[in-house]
Each structure stands twice: as C-alpha cells, then as structure tokens.
C-alpha cells in the first residue's frame, strides 16, 4: 500500500485527526533539534543543554502517541549514542559515564511519563477530539467505573441528552437489562472487543432503543471506545420507506399514465396502467415478455433503439409514439431513464407514457381558432376601411356646405335638412370607429403601458377634453394626493365612457360627481349622477355591445352608439378590475370602477 493511501485510510479509520499532524511536526522538530545540538555541542560548548532537549520530544511522544512513545525514545537514544561515539572517534573528549547517565535519564523520562499517562482523564485529551468530530454515534468510558468520559453528538441524540450532560454518568444507567450490562463487562474484560452486540438502551424520556453495540479496549489509553447503531431507527426508517413505496404504488396504479420497467434486452419487468382493461390489455400477461408484445415491429424497434441509447449514455430521453390500440389511434409521450440495480450496475430503464391524444387535438383546435381570429381581423379591417371610405367625403362635404350656406345659395329649410344629415353621418362614423375598436379589443392582445397616474389630473383632462362642463355641472372630488397604477390612455377612455354616459342620460339640472375610495387591495372610482336611472331588469345588459335600452325614452339627446360602456368595461377588465352599477329610476345612477393596486 502506498504512503498516501495508508495516510488517508488512517484518517477514515479515525486513528488520528488533523490536529495530530501538527503534534507530529512538533515531535519531529524537537527530535531534529536535539540531534543537531548534540552534533554541534563541541563547537558551541552546549554539552549541558543538548541532553536536556531530548526530554521534550520524549515527553510529548509519550503523552500524545503512547503507542509510538517507545519507538521515538529508542530512535532518539540510538541517535544520541551514535553521535557521541562518532565524536569520540573524531578525537573529541567524550565522558562515557555522563553518556550512560543521559541514556538512563531518557529511558526514565519515558517510563515515568508512560506511567503518568495511564490516567484515563489524561489520555482522554488524546481521544476527545476524535469522538467529538466523528459523524458516528460513539462514546468513551472508564474501564473500571464505566463512567462516560466523552460522547459524540449523534450518540447523545439517541439517548436524548446533550453531550455535556452525559459526561460523568455511568453507562450502566442506560442499560434496560442488567444481563446485557453484565455480558458487556465480561466480554470486554475477557476479549477486549465486542462486535455488534444487540442491547436495549433507555433514553432520557424513557423510550427503549434497540441498538448494536461495538466496543474495543484502547489499551495504551486505558479506555473503552464504543460505537452505537440505532437499529430501531433503521427499522422505523425502513417501515416509512415501505409505506412510502406503498403509497407511491397506489398513486401509480390510480394514474392514467403508463409506468413500466424493462431490462436491457427489452423484457418487461413491470407494467401498470389504469386504463389497460379498456383496450383489452392485461398488465400481468405482459410481465416477462418483450416490448414487441405491446408494440408493432417498427415501433418496438424504435423504442428499443431509445432504450439502448439511454443505457449507453446514462441520460433520460423523451419521444412520441403514435399507435393504434383497440382500433383507436392514440399518441403517447414517452419518457425513459436509466435504472440501476442493487449493485449499482445499469440493468435497464424505467419510464412513463402519457396519452396526449386529446392534448394534441386541443393544440390543433387552438391553432385553427388562432387562424380564424387572424381571418376575422382581416375581415374587420376590410369592413372598417369600406365603411370609412364613403363616410369621410360625405362628412367633409356636408360640413363644408353648412359652414358657408350663403355661398351655395341654400335656403333655411335646406340648411336645416343638411345639418340633420351631418349629425346622422357623424353618429354613423362614431359607431364605425367604436365597432372597429371593440372588435380589435376583443380579438387581439392589448399591451398595457402601466405607469403612475395622478388620478385627479386624469379625470380633469377627461372632463376638459370632452367639454362636459359646458352641458352639465361636474364636481371632481378626487383628492390631489391619490395616485394609481395603470395605462393612462385606456383608463382615460374608461372614465370618459362613464362620464359621457352620465351626461347623455340625464335631465336638468344635470349634476355629476366623480369620487374616490380606497382599500388595502383596490382603488374605487365612482361616477354618480342625478339622471333618469336604469331599470333593474336591464342593468345586466347595458355593457353589451350596441345595447341601447329604451333609447326613445332614456336618451332624449339621441347621441348613443351603444358601445361606450362596452369599450370602457373591456379596458377596466384589462387592468384586472370591473365596473359595477347601482341605480334608482328617477333619482340617478352610480358606476364604480374597481382597479387593483397591483396591476
């Protein structure tokens, strides 16, 4: 075995820790200093000092590495004697008596230190770090009293204590059975080793834990080192694992997906499918057969090609299979992944297959619907163009004639008729524009430009832009400090639709109030009027496109297109909000826009 491999194996066996490397360096350094001082003593007159330096590495080796203390002492004594002998050959005056006395002194220091280090409390400093740093459940105890001297955290967790609480407590307190304790003491005194003895230990809360106890006697340290394996916890974990596997199998058996396992030759090891009976398949009959028992030859060859690729590359794969089952063509999305046996070798694949036939049909339907929407967009664009083209010159010429009736020699009666025609043309043009806008809004995606909006200013611009204050008394009661998040253009159009509706369906004295209220989650913009009100039976219909309920009675101004509220409602929905209405016939209506604070 190489030096590096031996060195690492000692770490794994907890024979020494990283701190021991520093201790070894200290011992080797003092040993080298001692030998060098002996070699240069004649030149520097260091005879009285050099022998005393030897005591330091001997003392440290006996305390830190008692199993190697005698070897270190022997090497140092041999080196001391050889250096002195060599110096004598070179002609230096060497006192043989003092050399012998120094040799005896070295051996005495070693012996005295070894006797002193036999105390378990002293040698415990050597082993404490090993036990405390280990990931295993270990403890050290005194061979005579069985008192716990050092306990790892994992061992303390098994017993329900902290490591500090267990120090000084006799280990026999945790034996539930006196016979187990007596057998443990007898085995350790006779053999000095115990391997996997089954015992029952009592925890702090009174629970009994079945454990495997392995111990060895650390003879130089005069300690017992014990390792504990909580077999009860392993049994519990195994039980939980079995229960989890059972629940997993229940889920698999209740799933509409197919779950299967195959070896590298294609033999089916497991097959489960809730709907197998619907297609005349028996999962039990498929076990042990090849994949060709389920798939036609061409698809079986394609599937096995994927299986071999997954095993070779050790990566999962996904692909689709189209096959006919019981006369019905179905599409399955298959996912397979490599499967390893108990020894860790790749033995096959595990996979699932999901019937995606309906999903595929839905995708095709969505694609068809998208195509139809695109077609309708083209139709709407064409219609809007065809409707706008004749209206624009008609409105333009009528407005030009009415602005200067004398130039064209019009009578008063003719001028009145032409003004009526212009009003009708303007109204028709507004209907076309709103219809196009509503159609595009319904069929197309609208990207909102969300920004911070000063609500009072937005409402003020709507009122001034529509010149509503010229025909009604409008009170903008929204505080200046109110700010909301939204698309200012779309919200302006929504508010404009409500204010315009309040002006149209009103009677003198025409009054409109625009107010605000807020909550932790929403903003509320209220447009209130003292108009004619809306009957309860038609409130649910007023947001429908082109709806004008009882226009002859409710709209004396005759300016409605039936699209203002519908467009306003669409723009509010784009912000994640809604418009609600409360109304009393003959008293007025209140339209409330709810806009979430987080758009």
């Amino acid at each position: 075995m190489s030096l590096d491999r031996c060195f690492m194996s000692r770490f794994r066996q907890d024979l020494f820790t990283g701190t021991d490397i520093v201790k070894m360096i200290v011992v080797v350094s003092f040993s080298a200093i001692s030998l060098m001082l002996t070699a240069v003593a004649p030149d520097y007159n260091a005879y009285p000092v050099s022998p005393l330096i030897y005591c330091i590495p001997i003392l440290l080796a006996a305390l830190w590495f008692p199993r190697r203390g005698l070897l270190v002492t022997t090497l140092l004594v041999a080196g001391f004697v050889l250096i002195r002998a060599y110096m004598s050959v070179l002609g230096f005056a060497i006192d043989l008596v003092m050399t012998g006395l120094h040799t005896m002194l070295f051996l005495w220091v070693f012996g005295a230190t070894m006797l002193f280090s036999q105390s378990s409390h002293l040698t415990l400093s050597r082993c404490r770090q090993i036990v405390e740093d280990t990931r295993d459940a270990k403890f050290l105890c005194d061979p005579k009293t069985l008192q716990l001297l050092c306990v790892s955290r994992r061992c303390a967790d098994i017993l329900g204590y902290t490591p500090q609480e267990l120090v000084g407590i006799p280990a026999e307190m945790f034996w539930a059975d006196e016979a187990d304790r007596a057998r443990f003491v007898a085995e350790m005194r006779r053999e000095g080793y115990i391997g996997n003895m089954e015992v029952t230990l009592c925890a702090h809360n009174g629970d009994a834990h079945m454990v495997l106890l392995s111990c060895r006697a650390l003879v130089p340290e005069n300690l017992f080192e014990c390792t504990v394996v909580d077999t009860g916890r392993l049994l519990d974990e195994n039980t939980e694992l079995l229960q989890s596997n059972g629940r997993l199998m229940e889920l698999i058996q209740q799933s509409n997906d197919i779950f299967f396992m195959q070896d590298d030759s294609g033999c089916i090891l497991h097959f489960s499918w809730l709907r197998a009976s619907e297609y005349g398949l028996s999962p039990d009959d498929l076990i042990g057969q090849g994949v060709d028992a389920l798939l036609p030859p061409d698809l079986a060859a394609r599937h096995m090609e994927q299986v071999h690729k997954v095993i070779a590359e050790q990566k999962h794969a996904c692909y689709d299979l189209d096959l006919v089952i019981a006369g019905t063509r179905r599409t399955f999305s298959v996912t397979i992944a490599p499967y390893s046996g108990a020894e860790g070798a790749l033995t096959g694949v595990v996979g699932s297959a999901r019937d995606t036939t309906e999903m595929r049909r839905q995708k095709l339907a969505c694609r068809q619907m998208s195509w139809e929407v695109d077609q309708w967009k083209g139709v709407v664009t064409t219609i809007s163009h065809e409707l706008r083209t004749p209206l624009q010159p008609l409105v333009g010429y009528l407005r030009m004639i009415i602005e200067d009736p004398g130039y064209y020699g019009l009578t008063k009666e003719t001028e009145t008729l032409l003004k009526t025609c212009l009003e009708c043309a303007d109204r028709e043009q507004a209907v076309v524009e709103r219809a196009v806008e509503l159609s595009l809004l319904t069929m197309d995606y609208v990207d909102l430009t969300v920004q911070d909006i000063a609500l009072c200013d937005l409402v003020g611009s709507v009122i001034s832009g529509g010149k509503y204050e010229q025909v009604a008394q409008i009170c903008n009661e929204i505080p200046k400090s109110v700010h909301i998040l939204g698309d200012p253009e779309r919200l302006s159009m929504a508010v404009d639709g409500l204010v315009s509706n309040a002006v149209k369906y009103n009677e003198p004295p025409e009054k409109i109030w625009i107010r605000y209220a807020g909550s932790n989650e929403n903003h509320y913009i209220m447009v209130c009027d003292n108009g004619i009100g809306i009957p309860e039976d038609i409130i649910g219909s007023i947001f429908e496109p082109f709806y004008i309920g009882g226009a002859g009675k409710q709209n004396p101004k005759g300016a409605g297109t039936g699209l203002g509220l519908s467009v306003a409602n669409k723009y509010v929905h784009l912000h994640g909000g809604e418009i609600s209405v409360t109304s009393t016939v003959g008293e007025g209506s209140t339209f409330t826009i709810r806009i979430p604070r987080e758009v």
Side-chain angles (χ1 to χ4, degrees):
M1 181 182 293
S2 66
L3 181 61
D4 291 342
R5 187 175 300 177
C6 178
F7 190 76
M8 294 306 297
S9 66
R10 289 175 178 270
F11 267 116
R12 288 193 292 268
Q13 297 172 8
D14 289 338
L15 295 182
F16 55 78
T17 66
T19 306
D20 288 332
I21 298 178
V22 178
K23 295 179 180 179
M24 293 176 187
I25 294 173
V26 172
V27 172
V28 172
S29 299
F30 275 106
S31 300
I33 292 172
S34 302
L35 294 173
M36 286 188 291
L37 280 177
T38 303
V40 300
D43 296 333
Y44 296 93
N45 196 21
Y47 284 117
V49 178
S50 60
L52 298 178
I53 299 297
Y54 282 83
C55 296
I56 296 177
I58 293 173
L59 178 65
L60 295 179
L63 289 174
W64 288 344
F65 307 103
R67 296 182 182 180
R68 300 289 181 264
L70 180 59
L71 176 61
V72 172
T73 303
T74 302
L75 292 176
L76 287 174
V77 169
F80 176 76
V81 172
L82 289 175
I83 292 173
R84 285 297 185 97
Y86 180 71
M87 292 173 63
S88 178
V89 172
L90 293 179
F92 290 97
I94 301 300
D95 191 339
L96 296 179
V97 175
M98 290 303 297
T99 300
L101 289 175
H102 286 143
T103 302
M104 297 301 296
L105 174 64
F106 300 155
L107 296 175
W108 178 86
V109 169
F110 167 74
T113 306
M114 286 299 296
L115 291 175
F116 177 70
S117 65
Q118 291 301 308
S119 171
S120 59
H121 294 284
L122 183 62
T123 56
L124 182 62
S125 62
R126 157 78 182 106
C127 304
R128 175 179 284 113
Q129 189 172 9
I130 295 177
V131 173
E132 291 179 349
D133 292 346
T134 185
R135 294 184 295 270
D136 299 328
K138 287 187 176 184
F139 67 87
L140 300 177
C141 64
D142 187 285
K144 296 180 181 179
T145 63
L146 295 185
Q147 284 187 346
L148 300 180
L149 303 177
C150 185
V151 184
S152 70
R153 178 169 295 278
R154 188 167 183 179
C155 182
D157 291 341
I158 294 175
L159 298 176
Y161 293 85
T162 63
Q164 293 75 18
E165 291 175 336
L166 291 173
V167 174
I169 298 178
E172 60 191 31
M173 286 185 57
F174 305 106
W175 260 280
D177 189 354
E178 179 63 26
D180 287 341
R181 188 194 71 82
R183 184 158 59 99
F184 167 79
V185 174
E187 288 289 331
M188 289 301 295
R189 289 177 178 174
R190 182 175 65 254
E191 302 291 340
Y193 176 80
I194 291 177
N196 296 332
M197 175 188 289
E198 293 187 1
V199 299
T200 303
L201 298 182
C202 292
H204 183 59
N205 57 4
D207 293 342
H209 289 270
M210 290 294 298
V211 302
L212 291 178
L213 193 63
S214 300
C215 298
R216 61 174 178 171
L218 304 179
V219 178
E221 289 83 2
N222 193 26
L223 294 172
F224 285 170
E225 181 190 43
C226 300
T227 303
V228 180
V229 178
D230 190 352
T231 55
R233 181 176 298 177
L234 294 177
L235 291 175
D236 293 340
E237 292 176 354
N238 188 46
T239 302
E240 292 178 0
L241 181 60
L242 292 176
Q243 293 175 351
S244 299
N245 289 339
R247 289 191 292 269
L248 178 60
M249 290 304 300
E250 290 178 3
L251 291 174
I252 290 176
Q253 293 171 359
Q254 295 174 6
S255 173
N256 287 325
D257 295 346
I258 299 174
F259 294 92
F260 61 91
M261 291 177 60
Q262 293 177 262
D263 60 18
D264 53 1
S265 65
C267 179
I268 299 175
L269 306 177
H270 172 81
F271 186 91
S272 63
W273 189 23
L274 184 62
R275 302 179 61 185
S277 59
E278 298 179 17
Y279 297 95
L281 297 175
S282 174
D284 294 335
D285 294 341
L286 292 174
I287 304 301
Q289 298 191 43
V291 71
D292 52 357
L294 183 63
L295 301 176
D298 56 336
L299 295 182
R302 179 185 170 195
H303 173 73
M304 287 307 301
E305 181 181 347
Q306 293 288 341
V307 170
H308 293 148
K309 181 179 178 181
V310 166
I311 294 177
E313 299 180 358
Q314 300 185 26
K315 294 181 179 179
H316 75 282
C318 300
Y319 61 98
D320 292 335
L321 282 180
D322 292 320
L323 67 155
V324 178
I325 303 180
T328 305
R329 177 169 291 277
R330 314 296 296 181
T331 300
F332 289 89
S333 177
V334 183
T335 302
I336 56 177
Y339 170 72
S340 300
E343 297 81 9
L346 289 175
T347 58
V349 297
V350 58
S352 65
R354 173 165 294 183
D355 188 346
T356 58
T357 306
E358 294 301 326
M359 188 182 302
R360 191 173 184 179
R361 289 175 182 172
Q362 291 176 4
K363 287 183 178 179
L364 291 175
C366 290
R367 194 177 303 165
Q368 176 69 21
M369 185 179 297
S370 176
W371 179 83
E372 292 178 359
V373 168
D374 291 337
Q375 293 297 312
W376 273 108
K377 288 180 183 178
V379 171
V380 169
T381 302
T382 302
I383 292 175
S384 64
H385 176 73
E386 294 298 327
L387 291 175
R388 286 168 179 165
T389 300
L391 281 175
Q392 286 176 350
L394 175 63
V395 171
Y397 287 133
L398 284 174
R399 185 168 285 112
M400 182 178 63
I401 293 171
I402 292 173
E403 287 177 354
D404 193 2
Y407 178 80
Y408 295 99
L410 299 180
T411 64
K412 277 292 184 181
E413 184 179 358
T414 303
E415 182 182 353
T416 301
L417 293 174
L418 290 178
K419 284 184 178 180
T420 303
C421 291
L422 178 60
E423 290 177 0
C424 292
D426 284 336
R427 191 181 308 164
E428 188 67 23
Q429 191 175 37
V431 171
V432 172
E433 295 295 337
R434 287 294 180 92
V436 172
E437 180 182 5
L438 181 62
S439 299
L440 295 177
L441 185 62
T442 302
M443 293 187 298
D444 205 356
Y445 172 77
V446 178
D447 188 13
L448 296 179
T449 304
V450 178
Q451 54 186 273
D452 184 74
I453 302 172
L455 186 58
C456 182
D457 295 341
L458 180 139
V459 172
S461 63
V462 169
I463 295 172
S464 60
K467 300 181 180 180
Y468 297 117
E469 71 275 5
Q470 297 178 4
V471 294
Q473 182 181 347
I474 301 180
C475 300
N476 183 1
E477 299 180 358
I478 297 178
K480 288 284 188 180
S481 60
V482 174
H483 286 251
I484 68 173
L485 291 177
D487 187 316
E489 182 180 354
R490 267 75 180 193
L491 285 182
S492 294
M493 297 179 69
V495 174
D496 181 77
L498 298 186
V499 174
S500 174
N501 186 77
V503 170
K504 292 172 186 175
Y505 296 93
N506 211 324
E507 293 179 348
E510 301 174 6
K511 293 184 178 180
I512 299 171
W513 299 267
I514 304 175
R515 297 165 178 160
Y516 170 82
S519 67
N520 292 333
E521 297 180 355
N522 298 293
H523 299 285
Y524 298 93
I525 306 168
M526 293 159 283
V527 179
C528 313
D529 63 63
N530 63 338
I532 60 179
I534 306 172
E536 186 176 353
D537 58 337
I538 68 170
I539 284 182
S541 304
I542 61 177
F543 292 105
E544 295 179 3
F546 302 103
Y547 180 84
I548 305 176
K553 296 179 181 179
Q554 298 192 44
N555 189 7
K557 301 180 180 66
T561 65
L563 290 170
L565 291 180
S566 182
V567 172
N569 196 37
K570 290 291 184 182
Y571 281 134
V572 172
H573 282 170
L574 287 175
H575 287 77
E578 61 183 359
I579 301 178
S580 58
V581 186
T582 59
S583 183
T584 303
V585 176
E587 295 183 6
S589 306
T590 298
F591 286 76
T592 302
I593 299 175
R594 180 186 64 82
I595 300 292
R597 289 185 178 272
E598 297 292 336
V599 177

